Amino acid sequence: MSSESDKKSSGFSIGAIARPRWNVLDLINIVNKGSVPTLLLCDVDMTWAENLRSQLKDQGVKTTVTAILLKAIAIAQRAHPESRTVRLPWGKEVTFGDIVAGFTCERLVGSQAAVFFGAIENADNKALAEIARELKEYASSELKDVHQLNLQNRFNNMPWLLRRFILWAGTNFPAFRLRYMGATFGLSSLGKFGMRVLVPPCVTTSTFGVGEVEQRAVVRDGRIEIRPMMTIALNFDHRILDGAPAARFLQDVRRLLEGGLEGYVVAELTQGSTTTKMDSLPALT
């Protein structure tokens, strides 16, 4: 048996990977194995989005940039079905009809910080207030009280072979994937840490990363102005999406954030509605 001094002199230590860490590793190594990640970046003028937050706050509704982002991306996915398409192992593709907004949230499991993956169903139809409420639940409620978090926490503690079988089933059978891994896009944000942009792993066909909204000097109509700007990274799977369709998808997200979302939230601004019907909304072009 080696002594404590022998361990210190070796210059390194070896330990088991923490169970909560497997959430991320499984997505990268198994669920999206073989993906061809390709990156697009764009800057978004968040002036309109920040004004929207102020208007809602005046009505007693507190929302976040993340909530606005999730709704904008979800609406854009309606016009870009390939962004919610995944490959199946036997040479087929499946396009999911319902939009499910996926996002990362960091929680403590004991003393271990762990990344979990939240999911908000029908984010394209839900009001910003409802999306913000669900985000808050993921951030502050007990793990056992949020279905998706509880499911992932239990999954982390399953035996290795059972975990592998469930993941295999999720990548081969669309109905099974919808039940346990339903997100049609992913979003990670490090804005609260002052980061400008994040390039997350390509764990869904369309995975977004964002940093903080910061004041930057930009040129508008030949003049230099200070605007609240945010950089968005889209990491997409090139096996499903080509560059031009991915760029059009990201362009629609930017248009929505810069004012195109107005027609989708007018009911919230005028009536405090919690749900907005898709058939009454303007279509993206």
Side-chain angles (χ1 to χ4, degrees), residues 137-203:
E137 287 182 357
Y138 273 99
S140 59
S141 296
E142 294 289 335
L143 295 181
K144 61 182 177 59
D145 294 332
V146 181
H147 173 72
Q148 194 74 10
L149 298 183
N150 185 44
L151 189 68
Q152 290 174 46
N153 198 35
R154 289 167 54 198
F155 184 70
N156 282 334
N157 293 290
M158 288 181 179
W160 182 83
L161 284 176
L162 180 57
R163 289 168 54 87
R164 288 298 185 271
F165 173 76
I166 292 173
L167 290 166
W168 173 84
T171 56
N172 283 270
F173 302 102
F176 196 88
R177 177 178 176 129
L178 281 177
R179 184 173 179 181
Y180 294 102
M181 299 174 287
T184 54
F185 70 88
L187 172 69
S188 293
S189 172
L190 293 181
K192 67 180 181 181
F193 298 109
M195 301 295 105
R196 172 166 285 198
V197 70
L198 164 69
V199 180
C202 186
V203 294

Short mmCIF file of all heavy atoms in Angstrom, two decimals, residues 137-203:
data_model
loop_
_atom_site.label_atom_id
_atom_site.label_comp_id
_atom_site.label_asym_id
_atom_site.label_seq_id
_atom_site.Cartn_x
_atom_site.Cartn_y
_atom_site.Cartn_z
N GLU A 137 -38.46 27.78 -12.14
CA GLU A 137 -38.65 26.50 -11.47
C GLU A 137 -37.42 25.61 -11.65
O GLU A 137 -36.97 24.95 -10.70
CB GLU A 137 -39.89 25.79 -12.01
CG GLU A 137 -41.21 26.39 -11.55
CD GLU A 137 -42.40 25.61 -12.07
OE1 GLU A 137 -42.18 24.64 -12.83
OE2 GLU A 137 -43.54 25.97 -11.73
N TYR A 138 -36.89 25.58 -12.85
CA TYR A 138 -35.69 24.77 -13.10
C TYR A 138 -34.50 25.28 -12.30
O TYR A 138 -33.64 24.50 -11.88
CB TYR A 138 -35.35 24.79 -14.59
CG TYR A 138 -36.05 23.73 -15.39
CD1 TYR A 138 -37.20 24.02 -16.11
CD2 TYR A 138 -35.58 22.41 -15.42
CE1 TYR A 138 -37.85 23.04 -16.86
CE2 TYR A 138 -36.22 21.43 -16.15
CZ TYR A 138 -37.35 21.74 -16.87
OH TYR A 138 -37.99 20.77 -17.59
N ALA A 139 -34.44 26.57 -12.07
CA ALA A 139 -33.29 27.16 -11.37
C ALA A 139 -33.37 27.03 -9.86
O ALA A 139 -32.32 26.92 -9.20
CB ALA A 139 -33.15 28.63 -11.76
N SER A 140 -34.58 27.03 -9.30
CA SER A 140 -34.69 27.16 -7.85
C SER A 140 -35.48 26.06 -7.15
O SER A 140 -35.33 25.88 -5.94
CB SER A 140 -35.32 28.51 -7.50
OG SER A 140 -36.61 28.65 -8.10
N SER A 141 -36.32 25.32 -7.85
CA SER A 141 -37.10 24.28 -7.18
C SER A 141 -36.23 23.07 -6.84
O SER A 141 -35.15 22.87 -7.41
CB SER A 141 -38.26 23.82 -8.08
OG SER A 141 -39.17 24.87 -8.32
N GLU A 142 -36.70 22.26 -5.89
CA GLU A 142 -36.00 21.02 -5.55
C GLU A 142 -35.97 20.10 -6.77
O GLU A 142 -36.93 20.05 -7.55
CB GLU A 142 -36.72 20.32 -4.39
CG GLU A 142 -36.67 21.07 -3.08
CD GLU A 142 -35.29 21.07 -2.46
OE1 GLU A 142 -34.50 20.14 -2.75
OE2 GLU A 142 -34.99 22.01 -1.69
N LEU A 143 -34.87 19.37 -6.93
CA LEU A 143 -34.73 18.48 -8.08
C LEU A 143 -35.90 17.51 -8.18
O LEU A 143 -36.42 17.25 -9.27
CB LEU A 143 -33.41 17.69 -7.99
CG LEU A 143 -32.10 18.49 -8.08
CD1 LEU A 143 -30.92 17.54 -8.01
CD2 LEU A 143 -32.04 19.32 -9.35
N LYS A 144 -36.35 17.00 -7.05
CA LYS A 144 -37.43 16.01 -7.07
C LYS A 144 -38.77 16.60 -7.46
O LYS A 144 -39.70 15.87 -7.84
CB LYS A 144 -37.55 15.36 -5.69
CG LYS A 144 -37.89 16.32 -4.57
CD LYS A 144 -37.95 15.62 -3.23
CE LYS A 144 -38.22 16.57 -2.09
NZ LYS A 144 -39.48 17.31 -2.25
N ASP A 145 -38.88 17.94 -7.41
CA ASP A 145 -40.16 18.59 -7.72
C ASP A 145 -40.29 19.01 -9.18
O ASP A 145 -41.34 19.48 -9.60
CB ASP A 145 -40.33 19.83 -6.83
CG ASP A 145 -40.48 19.47 -5.36
OD1 ASP A 145 -40.96 18.36 -5.07
OD2 ASP A 145 -40.09 20.29 -4.50
N VAL A 146 -39.23 18.85 -9.96
CA VAL A 146 -39.26 19.18 -11.39
C VAL A 146 -39.05 17.88 -12.16
O VAL A 146 -37.99 17.25 -12.04
CB VAL A 146 -38.18 20.21 -11.77
CG1 VAL A 146 -38.27 20.55 -13.26
CG2 VAL A 146 -38.32 21.47 -10.93
N HIS A 147 -40.05 17.47 -12.92
CA HIS A 147 -40.04 16.14 -13.55
C HIS A 147 -38.76 15.89 -14.33
O HIS A 147 -38.12 14.84 -14.15
CB HIS A 147 -41.25 15.99 -14.47
CG HIS A 147 -41.23 14.73 -15.28
ND1 HIS A 147 -41.46 13.48 -14.72
CD2 HIS A 147 -40.97 14.52 -16.61
CE1 HIS A 147 -41.36 12.56 -15.67
NE2 HIS A 147 -41.06 13.15 -16.82
N GLN A 148 -38.36 16.81 -15.18
CA GLN A 148 -37.21 16.59 -16.04
C GLN A 148 -35.92 16.46 -15.22
O GLN A 148 -35.07 15.62 -15.52
CB GLN A 148 -37.09 17.75 -17.04
CG GLN A 148 -36.13 17.49 -18.20
CD GLN A 148 -36.70 16.53 -19.22
OE1 GLN A 148 -37.87 16.18 -19.18
NE2 GLN A 148 -35.86 16.09 -20.14
N LEU A 149 -35.78 17.28 -14.19
CA LEU A 149 -34.58 17.21 -13.34
C LEU A 149 -34.56 15.92 -12.53
O LEU A 149 -33.51 15.28 -12.39
CB LEU A 149 -34.53 18.42 -12.40
CG LEU A 149 -34.44 19.80 -13.07
CD1 LEU A 149 -34.33 20.89 -12.01
CD2 LEU A 149 -33.24 19.87 -14.01
N ASN A 150 -35.70 15.55 -12.01
CA ASN A 150 -35.80 14.32 -11.24
C ASN A 150 -35.48 13.11 -12.10
O ASN A 150 -34.77 12.18 -11.68
CB ASN A 150 -37.21 14.18 -10.65
CG ASN A 150 -37.35 12.99 -9.73
OD1 ASN A 150 -36.48 12.72 -8.91
ND2 ASN A 150 -38.43 12.25 -9.88
N LEU A 151 -35.98 13.11 -13.34
CA LEU A 151 -35.73 12.01 -14.27
C LEU A 151 -34.24 11.88 -14.56
O LEU A 151 -33.68 10.78 -14.53
CB LEU A 151 -36.51 12.26 -15.57
CG LEU A 151 -36.55 11.14 -16.59
CD1 LEU A 151 -37.35 9.96 -16.06
CD2 LEU A 151 -37.16 11.64 -17.90
N GLN A 152 -33.57 13.00 -14.83
CA GLN A 152 -32.14 12.96 -15.14
C GLN A 152 -31.32 12.56 -13.92
O GLN A 152 -30.32 11.84 -14.05
CB GLN A 152 -31.69 14.33 -15.66
CG GLN A 152 -32.23 14.66 -17.03
CD GLN A 152 -31.89 16.08 -17.46
OE1 GLN A 152 -30.76 16.52 -17.33
NE2 GLN A 152 -32.90 16.79 -17.95
N ASN A 153 -31.72 13.03 -12.76
CA ASN A 153 -30.98 12.69 -11.55
C ASN A 153 -31.07 11.19 -11.27
O ASN A 153 -30.08 10.55 -10.88
CB ASN A 153 -31.54 13.49 -10.36
CG ASN A 153 -30.58 13.51 -9.19
OD1 ASN A 153 -29.36 13.54 -9.35
ND2 ASN A 153 -31.13 13.48 -7.99
N ARG A 154 -32.25 10.61 -11.48
CA ARG A 154 -32.42 9.16 -11.31
C ARG A 154 -31.63 8.41 -12.37
O ARG A 154 -31.01 7.37 -12.09
CB ARG A 154 -33.90 8.80 -11.39
CG ARG A 154 -34.72 9.26 -10.19
CD ARG A 154 -36.22 9.15 -10.47
NE ARG A 154 -36.59 7.82 -10.91
CZ ARG A 154 -37.73 7.55 -11.54
NH1 ARG A 154 -38.60 8.51 -11.81
NH2 ARG A 154 -38.01 6.30 -11.90
N PHE A 155 -31.63 8.93 -13.59
CA PHE A 155 -30.92 8.28 -14.69
C PHE A 155 -29.42 8.22 -14.41
O PHE A 155 -28.76 7.24 -14.72
CB PHE A 155 -31.19 9.05 -15.99
CG PHE A 155 -30.59 8.43 -17.21
CD1 PHE A 155 -31.08 7.24 -17.71
CD2 PHE A 155 -29.53 9.04 -17.87
CE1 PHE A 155 -30.52 6.66 -18.85
CE2 PHE A 155 -28.97 8.46 -19.00
CZ PHE A 155 -29.47 7.28 -19.49
N ASN A 156 -28.89 9.28 -13.79
CA ASN A 156 -27.46 9.32 -13.47
C ASN A 156 -27.03 8.18 -12.56
O ASN A 156 -25.86 7.78 -12.57
CB ASN A 156 -27.10 10.65 -12.80
CG ASN A 156 -26.98 11.78 -13.80
OD1 ASN A 156 -26.69 11.55 -14.96
ND2 ASN A 156 -27.22 13.00 -13.36
N ASN A 157 -27.95 7.68 -11.75
CA ASN A 157 -27.62 6.65 -10.77
C ASN A 157 -28.01 5.24 -11.22
O ASN A 157 -27.90 4.30 -10.44
CB ASN A 157 -28.29 6.98 -9.44
CG ASN A 157 -27.72 8.24 -8.81
OD1 ASN A 157 -26.59 8.26 -8.35
ND2 ASN A 157 -28.50 9.31 -8.81
N MET A 158 -28.44 5.11 -12.47
CA MET A 158 -28.78 3.79 -12.98
C MET A 158 -27.51 3.00 -13.31
O MET A 158 -26.46 3.59 -13.60
CB MET A 158 -29.63 3.91 -14.25
CG MET A 158 -31.04 4.38 -14.01
SD MET A 158 -31.96 4.46 -15.58
CE MET A 158 -33.56 5.00 -14.97
N PRO A 159 -27.58 1.66 -13.31
CA PRO A 159 -26.43 0.84 -13.72
C PRO A 159 -26.02 1.16 -15.16
O PRO A 159 -26.85 1.53 -16.00
CB PRO A 159 -26.97 -0.59 -13.61
CG PRO A 159 -28.10 -0.50 -12.64
CD PRO A 159 -28.72 0.85 -12.85
N TRP A 160 -24.76 0.97 -15.44
CA TRP A 160 -24.17 1.36 -16.73
C TRP A 160 -24.91 0.73 -17.91
O TRP A 160 -25.24 1.40 -18.87
CB TRP A 160 -22.70 0.94 -16.74
CG TRP A 160 -21.97 1.33 -17.99
CD1 TRP A 160 -21.41 2.53 -18.30
CD2 TRP A 160 -21.73 0.48 -19.12
NE1 TRP A 160 -20.82 2.49 -19.54
CE2 TRP A 160 -21.01 1.25 -20.07
CE3 TRP A 160 -22.06 -0.83 -19.43
CZ2 TRP A 160 -20.61 0.72 -21.29
CZ3 TRP A 160 -21.66 -1.36 -20.65
CH2 TRP A 160 -20.95 -0.58 -21.57
N LEU A 161 -25.18 -0.59 -17.85
CA LEU A 161 -25.81 -1.28 -18.99
C LEU A 161 -27.22 -0.77 -19.23
O LEU A 161 -27.65 -0.63 -20.39
CB LEU A 161 -25.82 -2.79 -18.75
CG LEU A 161 -24.49 -3.52 -18.95
CD1 LEU A 161 -24.64 -4.99 -18.59
CD2 LEU A 161 -24.01 -3.38 -20.39
N LEU A 162 -27.95 -0.49 -18.18
CA LEU A 162 -29.31 0.02 -18.34
C LEU A 162 -29.29 1.42 -18.96
O LEU A 162 -30.11 1.73 -19.83
CB LEU A 162 -30.03 0.05 -16.99
CG LEU A 162 -31.48 0.55 -17.00
CD1 LEU A 162 -32.33 -0.27 -17.95
CD2 LEU A 162 -32.06 0.52 -15.59
N ARG A 163 -28.35 2.23 -18.54
CA ARG A 163 -28.20 3.56 -19.13
C ARG A 163 -27.94 3.45 -20.63
O ARG A 163 -28.53 4.16 -21.44
CB ARG A 163 -27.05 4.31 -18.47
CG ARG A 163 -27.30 4.77 -17.05
CD ARG A 163 -26.00 5.22 -16.39
NE ARG A 163 -25.34 6.24 -17.18
CZ ARG A 163 -25.60 7.54 -17.09
NH1 ARG A 163 -26.51 7.95 -16.23
NH2 ARG A 163 -24.95 8.40 -17.84
N ARG A 164 -27.04 2.56 -20.99
CA ARG A 164 -26.69 2.40 -22.40
C ARG A 164 -27.88 1.91 -23.22
O ARG A 164 -28.09 2.33 -24.35
CB ARG A 164 -25.51 1.42 -22.55
CG ARG A 164 -24.18 1.97 -22.08
CD ARG A 164 -23.80 3.20 -22.91
NE ARG A 164 -22.48 3.70 -22.58
CZ ARG A 164 -22.22 4.60 -21.64
NH1 ARG A 164 -23.22 5.08 -20.91
NH2 ARG A 164 -21.00 5.04 -21.43
N PHE A 165 -28.68 1.03 -22.67
CA PHE A 165 -29.85 0.53 -23.38
C PHE A 165 -30.85 1.66 -23.62
O PHE A 165 -31.40 1.79 -24.73
CB PHE A 165 -30.52 -0.60 -22.60
CG PHE A 165 -31.83 -1.04 -23.21
CD1 PHE A 165 -31.85 -1.83 -24.34
CD2 PHE A 165 -33.04 -0.62 -22.65
CE1 PHE A 165 -33.06 -2.21 -24.92
CE2 PHE A 165 -34.24 -0.99 -23.22
CZ PHE A 165 -34.26 -1.80 -24.35
N ILE A 166 -31.10 2.47 -22.60
CA ILE A 166 -32.05 3.58 -22.74
C ILE A 166 -31.55 4.58 -23.78
O ILE A 166 -32.33 5.05 -24.62
CB ILE A 166 -32.27 4.27 -21.38
CG1 ILE A 166 -33.00 3.32 -20.43
CG2 ILE A 166 -33.06 5.57 -21.54
CD1 ILE A 166 -33.13 3.83 -19.02
N LEU A 167 -30.27 4.88 -23.76
CA LEU A 167 -29.71 5.81 -24.74
C LEU A 167 -29.77 5.23 -26.15
O LEU A 167 -30.05 5.94 -27.12
CB LEU A 167 -28.27 6.16 -24.35
CG LEU A 167 -28.13 7.03 -23.10
CD1 LEU A 167 -26.68 7.04 -22.61
CD2 LEU A 167 -28.59 8.46 -23.38
N TRP A 168 -29.50 3.93 -26.27
CA TRP A 168 -29.60 3.27 -27.58
C TRP A 168 -31.04 3.37 -28.12
O TRP A 168 -31.26 3.68 -29.28
CB TRP A 168 -29.19 1.81 -27.46
CG TRP A 168 -29.43 1.03 -28.71
CD1 TRP A 168 -28.61 0.93 -29.81
CD2 TRP A 168 -30.60 0.25 -29.02
NE1 TRP A 168 -29.19 0.14 -30.77
CE2 TRP A 168 -30.41 -0.30 -30.32
CE3 TRP A 168 -31.76 -0.04 -28.33
CZ2 TRP A 168 -31.36 -1.12 -30.92
CZ3 TRP A 168 -32.71 -0.86 -28.92
CH2 TRP A 168 -32.49 -1.39 -30.21
N ALA A 169 -32.01 3.10 -27.24
CA ALA A 169 -33.41 3.17 -27.66
C ALA A 169 -33.77 4.60 -28.08
O ALA A 169 -34.50 4.80 -29.05
CB ALA A 169 -34.32 2.71 -26.52
N GLY A 170 -33.26 5.59 -27.36
CA GLY A 170 -33.56 6.98 -27.69
C GLY A 170 -33.02 7.42 -29.02
O GLY A 170 -33.63 8.25 -29.71
N THR A 171 -31.88 6.86 -29.44
CA THR A 171 -31.30 7.23 -30.72
C THR A 171 -31.85 6.41 -31.89
O THR A 171 -31.59 6.73 -33.05
CB THR A 171 -29.76 7.06 -30.69
OG1 THR A 171 -29.43 5.72 -30.30
CG2 THR A 171 -29.14 8.03 -29.68
N ASN A 172 -32.60 5.35 -31.61
CA ASN A 172 -33.13 4.49 -32.66
C ASN A 172 -34.64 4.61 -32.87
O ASN A 172 -35.12 4.36 -33.97
CB ASN A 172 -32.79 3.03 -32.36
CG ASN A 172 -31.35 2.68 -32.69
OD1 ASN A 172 -31.03 2.27 -33.80
ND2 ASN A 172 -30.47 2.86 -31.71
N PHE A 173 -35.36 5.00 -31.82
CA PHE A 173 -36.82 5.03 -31.89
C PHE A 173 -37.32 6.42 -31.52
O PHE A 173 -37.21 6.85 -30.37
CB PHE A 173 -37.42 3.98 -30.96
CG PHE A 173 -36.96 2.58 -31.27
CD1 PHE A 173 -35.99 1.98 -30.48
CD2 PHE A 173 -37.47 1.89 -32.35
CE1 PHE A 173 -35.54 0.71 -30.76
CE2 PHE A 173 -37.04 0.60 -32.64
CZ PHE A 173 -36.07 0.00 -31.85
N PRO A 174 -37.88 7.16 -32.51
CA PRO A 174 -38.31 8.55 -32.28
C PRO A 174 -39.28 8.72 -31.12
O PRO A 174 -39.18 9.67 -30.35
CB PRO A 174 -38.96 8.93 -33.62
CG PRO A 174 -38.32 8.05 -34.62
CD PRO A 174 -38.05 6.76 -33.91
N ALA A 175 -40.25 7.80 -30.96
CA ALA A 175 -41.23 7.92 -29.89
C ALA A 175 -40.56 7.85 -28.52
O ALA A 175 -40.94 8.57 -27.58
CB ALA A 175 -42.29 6.83 -30.02
N PHE A 176 -39.55 7.00 -28.40
CA PHE A 176 -38.83 6.86 -27.14
C PHE A 176 -38.01 8.12 -26.87
O PHE A 176 -37.95 8.61 -25.73
CB PHE A 176 -37.91 5.64 -27.20
CG PHE A 176 -37.43 5.18 -25.85
CD1 PHE A 176 -38.18 4.29 -25.11
CD2 PHE A 176 -36.23 5.64 -25.33
CE1 PHE A 176 -37.74 3.87 -23.86
CE2 PHE A 176 -35.79 5.23 -24.08
CZ PHE A 176 -36.55 4.34 -23.35
N ARG A 177 -37.40 8.66 -27.91
CA ARG A 177 -36.62 9.89 -27.75
C ARG A 177 -37.51 11.04 -27.29
O ARG A 177 -37.12 11.83 -26.42
CB ARG A 177 -35.92 10.27 -29.07
CG ARG A 177 -35.16 11.58 -28.97
CD ARG A 177 -34.44 11.92 -30.26
NE ARG A 177 -33.80 13.22 -30.15
CZ ARG A 177 -32.53 13.45 -30.45
NH1 ARG A 177 -31.76 12.46 -30.82
NH2 ARG A 177 -32.04 14.66 -30.34
N LEU A 178 -38.69 11.15 -27.86
CA LEU A 178 -39.60 12.22 -27.48
C LEU A 178 -39.97 12.15 -26.00
O LEU A 178 -40.15 13.18 -25.34
CB LEU A 178 -40.88 12.16 -28.32
CG LEU A 178 -40.78 12.73 -29.74
CD1 LEU A 178 -42.10 12.52 -30.47
CD2 LEU A 178 -40.43 14.21 -29.71
N ARG A 179 -40.05 10.94 -25.48
CA ARG A 179 -40.46 10.79 -24.08
C ARG A 179 -39.36 11.22 -23.12
O ARG A 179 -39.64 11.79 -22.07
CB ARG A 179 -40.83 9.33 -23.82
CG ARG A 179 -41.35 9.09 -22.41
CD ARG A 179 -41.87 7.67 -22.26
NE ARG A 179 -42.35 7.43 -20.90
CZ ARG A 179 -42.83 6.27 -20.48
NH1 ARG A 179 -42.93 5.26 -21.33
NH2 ARG A 179 -43.24 6.13 -19.24
N TYR A 180 -38.10 10.95 -23.48
CA TYR A 180 -37.01 11.20 -22.55
C TYR A 180 -36.05 12.30 -22.98
O TYR A 180 -35.36 12.88 -22.14
CB TYR A 180 -36.22 9.90 -22.33
CG TYR A 180 -37.03 8.83 -21.64
CD1 TYR A 180 -37.57 7.78 -22.36
CD2 TYR A 180 -37.27 8.89 -20.27
CE1 TYR A 180 -38.32 6.79 -21.73
CE2 TYR A 180 -38.02 7.92 -19.63
CZ TYR A 180 -38.54 6.87 -20.36
OH TYR A 180 -39.29 5.91 -19.74
N MET A 181 -35.97 12.57 -24.29
CA MET A 181 -35.02 13.57 -24.79
C MET A 181 -35.72 14.40 -25.87
O MET A 181 -35.37 14.36 -27.04
CB MET A 181 -33.77 12.89 -25.37
CG MET A 181 -32.99 12.07 -24.36
SD MET A 181 -31.62 11.14 -25.10
CE MET A 181 -32.52 9.85 -25.99
N GLY A 182 -36.73 15.16 -25.47
CA GLY A 182 -37.63 15.77 -26.44
C GLY A 182 -37.17 17.09 -27.03
O GLY A 182 -37.83 17.60 -27.94
N ALA A 183 -36.08 17.68 -26.57
CA ALA A 183 -35.69 19.01 -27.03
C ALA A 183 -35.41 19.03 -28.53
O ALA A 183 -34.70 18.16 -29.05
CB ALA A 183 -34.47 19.51 -26.27
N THR A 184 -35.98 20.00 -29.23
CA THR A 184 -35.71 20.16 -30.66
C THR A 184 -34.60 21.16 -30.94
O THR A 184 -34.14 21.28 -32.06
CB THR A 184 -36.99 20.60 -31.41
OG1 THR A 184 -37.51 21.79 -30.79
CG2 THR A 184 -38.05 19.51 -31.35
N PHE A 185 -34.18 21.89 -29.92
CA PHE A 185 -32.97 22.71 -30.00
C PHE A 185 -32.43 22.90 -28.59
O PHE A 185 -33.11 22.62 -27.60
CB PHE A 185 -33.25 24.08 -30.66
CG PHE A 185 -34.09 25.02 -29.82
CD1 PHE A 185 -33.50 25.88 -28.90
CD2 PHE A 185 -35.47 25.05 -29.97
CE1 PHE A 185 -34.27 26.74 -28.14
CE2 PHE A 185 -36.26 25.92 -29.22
CZ PHE A 185 -35.65 26.76 -28.29
N GLY A 186 -31.18 23.34 -28.52
CA GLY A 186 -30.56 23.56 -27.21
C GLY A 186 -30.04 24.98 -27.09
O GLY A 186 -29.69 25.61 -28.09
N LEU A 187 -30.01 25.48 -25.86
CA LEU A 187 -29.48 26.83 -25.59
C LEU A 187 -28.66 26.80 -24.31
O LEU A 187 -29.12 26.29 -23.28
CB LEU A 187 -30.61 27.84 -25.45
CG LEU A 187 -30.21 29.25 -24.98
CD1 LEU A 187 -29.39 29.96 -26.06
CD2 LEU A 187 -31.42 30.08 -24.61
N SER A 188 -27.46 27.35 -24.39
CA SER A 188 -26.61 27.55 -23.20
C SER A 188 -26.22 29.01 -23.13
O SER A 188 -25.89 29.62 -24.15
CB SER A 188 -25.35 26.68 -23.28
OG SER A 188 -25.66 25.30 -23.19
N SER A 189 -26.25 29.55 -21.93
CA SER A 189 -25.92 30.96 -21.74
C SER A 189 -24.93 31.12 -20.59
O SER A 189 -25.10 30.52 -19.53
CB SER A 189 -27.18 31.78 -21.44
OG SER A 189 -26.83 33.11 -21.08
N LEU A 190 -23.89 31.94 -20.84
CA LEU A 190 -22.94 32.30 -19.78
C LEU A 190 -22.91 33.81 -19.60
O LEU A 190 -21.92 34.37 -19.13
CB LEU A 190 -21.54 31.77 -20.13
CG LEU A 190 -21.37 30.25 -20.14
CD1 LEU A 190 -19.94 29.88 -20.47
CD2 LEU A 190 -21.76 29.65 -18.79
N GLY A 191 -24.03 34.46 -19.96
CA GLY A 191 -24.08 35.91 -19.86
C GLY A 191 -23.86 36.43 -18.45
O GLY A 191 -23.24 37.47 -18.25
N LYS A 192 -24.35 35.69 -17.44
CA LYS A 192 -24.23 36.17 -16.06
C LYS A 192 -22.79 36.19 -15.58
O LYS A 192 -22.48 36.80 -14.56
CB LYS A 192 -25.09 35.32 -15.13
CG LYS A 192 -24.64 33.88 -14.98
CD LYS A 192 -25.58 33.13 -14.03
CE LYS A 192 -25.14 31.68 -13.84
NZ LYS A 192 -26.06 30.96 -12.92
N PHE A 193 -21.89 35.49 -16.31
CA PHE A 193 -20.48 35.49 -15.96
C PHE A 193 -19.69 36.52 -16.74
O PHE A 193 -18.45 36.57 -16.65
CB PHE A 193 -19.88 34.10 -16.17
CG PHE A 193 -20.51 33.03 -15.33
CD1 PHE A 193 -21.33 32.08 -15.90
CD2 PHE A 193 -20.31 32.99 -13.96
CE1 PHE A 193 -21.93 31.09 -15.14
CE2 PHE A 193 -20.90 32.01 -13.18
CZ PHE A 193 -21.71 31.05 -13.76
N GLY A 194 -20.38 37.32 -17.56
CA GLY A 194 -19.70 38.36 -18.32
C GLY A 194 -19.01 37.87 -19.58
O GLY A 194 -18.19 38.60 -20.16
N MET A 195 -19.34 36.66 -20.04
CA MET A 195 -18.72 36.13 -21.26
C MET A 195 -19.40 36.72 -22.49
O MET A 195 -20.60 36.96 -22.49
CB MET A 195 -18.83 34.60 -21.30
CG MET A 195 -18.18 33.88 -20.13
SD MET A 195 -16.38 34.10 -20.07
CE MET A 195 -16.22 35.29 -18.72
N ARG A 196 -18.63 36.94 -23.54
CA ARG A 196 -19.20 37.52 -24.75
C ARG A 196 -19.97 36.50 -25.55
O ARG A 196 -21.03 36.79 -26.12
CB ARG A 196 -18.11 38.15 -25.62
CG ARG A 196 -18.60 38.60 -26.98
CD ARG A 196 -17.63 39.51 -27.70
NE ARG A 196 -17.65 40.85 -27.14
CZ ARG A 196 -17.17 41.92 -27.78
NH1 ARG A 196 -16.64 41.81 -28.98
NH2 ARG A 196 -17.21 43.10 -27.20
N VAL A 197 -19.45 35.27 -25.66
CA VAL A 197 -20.14 34.24 -26.45
C VAL A 197 -19.72 32.88 -25.94
O VAL A 197 -18.66 32.72 -25.32
CB VAL A 197 -19.82 34.39 -27.96
CG1 VAL A 197 -18.37 34.03 -28.26
CG2 VAL A 197 -20.78 33.58 -28.82
N LEU A 198 -20.56 31.90 -26.21
CA LEU A 198 -20.29 30.52 -25.85
C LEU A 198 -20.52 29.65 -27.07
O LEU A 198 -21.53 29.81 -27.77
CB LEU A 198 -21.23 30.08 -24.71
CG LEU A 198 -21.38 28.58 -24.45
CD1 LEU A 198 -20.08 28.01 -23.89
CD2 LEU A 198 -22.53 28.31 -23.50
N VAL A 199 -19.59 28.74 -27.35
CA VAL A 199 -19.78 27.76 -28.42
C VAL A 199 -20.00 26.40 -27.75
O VAL A 199 -19.05 25.74 -27.35
CB VAL A 199 -18.57 27.71 -29.37
CG1 VAL A 199 -18.81 26.68 -30.47
CG2 VAL A 199 -18.30 29.08 -29.97
N PRO A 200 -21.26 26.00 -27.58
CA PRO A 200 -21.55 24.75 -26.87
C PRO A 200 -21.34 23.54 -27.77
O PRO A 200 -21.29 23.66 -29.00
CB PRO A 200 -23.02 24.90 -26.49
CG PRO A 200 -23.58 25.76 -27.58
CD PRO A 200 -22.48 26.68 -28.03
N PRO A 201 -21.22 22.34 -27.18
CA PRO A 201 -21.15 21.12 -28.01
C PRO A 201 -22.41 20.97 -28.85
O PRO A 201 -23.49 21.41 -28.46
CB PRO A 201 -21.04 20.00 -26.97
CG PRO A 201 -20.60 20.66 -25.71
CD PRO A 201 -21.14 22.05 -25.74
N CYS A 202 -22.25 20.34 -30.00
CA CYS A 202 -23.38 20.14 -30.91
C CYS A 202 -24.17 18.92 -30.44
O CYS A 202 -24.03 17.81 -30.97
CB CYS A 202 -22.86 19.94 -32.33
SG CYS A 202 -24.14 19.87 -33.59
N VAL A 203 -25.01 19.11 -29.40
CA VAL A 203 -25.72 17.98 -28.81
C VAL A 203 -27.14 17.83 -29.34
O VAL A 203 -27.84 16.88 -29.01
CB VAL A 203 -25.75 18.09 -27.27
CG1 VAL A 203 -24.35 17.96 -26.70
CG2 VAL A 203 -26.39 19.40 -26.82
#
